[in-house]
Amino acid sequence: MSKPIRMSRRTWGAAWVVLCAAGLAATAGLNATSAPDPRPERSVSAECAEYVADVERRLAEAEAEREGEGDGVLAFSRVRGGTGDDCHDELRDHLRGDR
């Protein structure tokens, strides 16, 4: 039987360093190529601006009632004359703070 090949500690360490460096280089390369493009400025239609303002007003009213003695429930319907679907992105951005 032949003897198994043994590697010295120095060889194992060098191999480990090379693999780590290759992994870091590959990660840096992937991160550099997959950076998201900044969002272009969008103009908000008058309908969407009115819809977002209405939602803000209703949220403010609900907050005022909550601080008082009111214990009502604030509910929003998903469909509002077609405007709600068209303004989904604008409302989401507004509520997230991406104004």
Side-chain angles (χ1 to χ4, degrees):
M1 279 202 194
S2 65
K3 236 171 146 179
I5 299 175
R6 292 189 170 198
M7 294 176 63
S8 69
R9 288 184 184 176
R10 186 175 291 174
T11 305
W12 279 111
W16 181 80
V17 167
V18 168
L19 288 175
C20 287
L24 288 173
T27 301
L30 289 173
N31 285 340
T33 60
S34 65
D37 295 331
R39 292 180 68 181
E41 289 294 322
R42 296 187 302 174
S43 61
V44 178
S45 69
E47 284 180 338
C48 289
E50 183 180 326
Y51 180 69
V52 169
D54 182 47
V55 169
E56 278 291 322
R57 181 187 53 78
R58 291 195 284 169
L59 287 172
E61 287 175 2
E63 181 67 25
E65 285 183 19
R66 189 180 72 137
E67 289 175 357
E69 57 192 59
D71 55 344
V73 174
L74 178 65
F76 293 97
S77 65
R78 289 190 168 253
V79 178
R80 185 179 173 229
T83 305
D85 290 337
D86 296 338
C87 301
H88 178 263
D89 292 336
E90 286 82 2
L91 181 61
R92 185 190 63 228
D93 291 345
H94 178 78
L95 295 175
R96 281 186 180 169
D98 295 344
R99 301 174 190 159

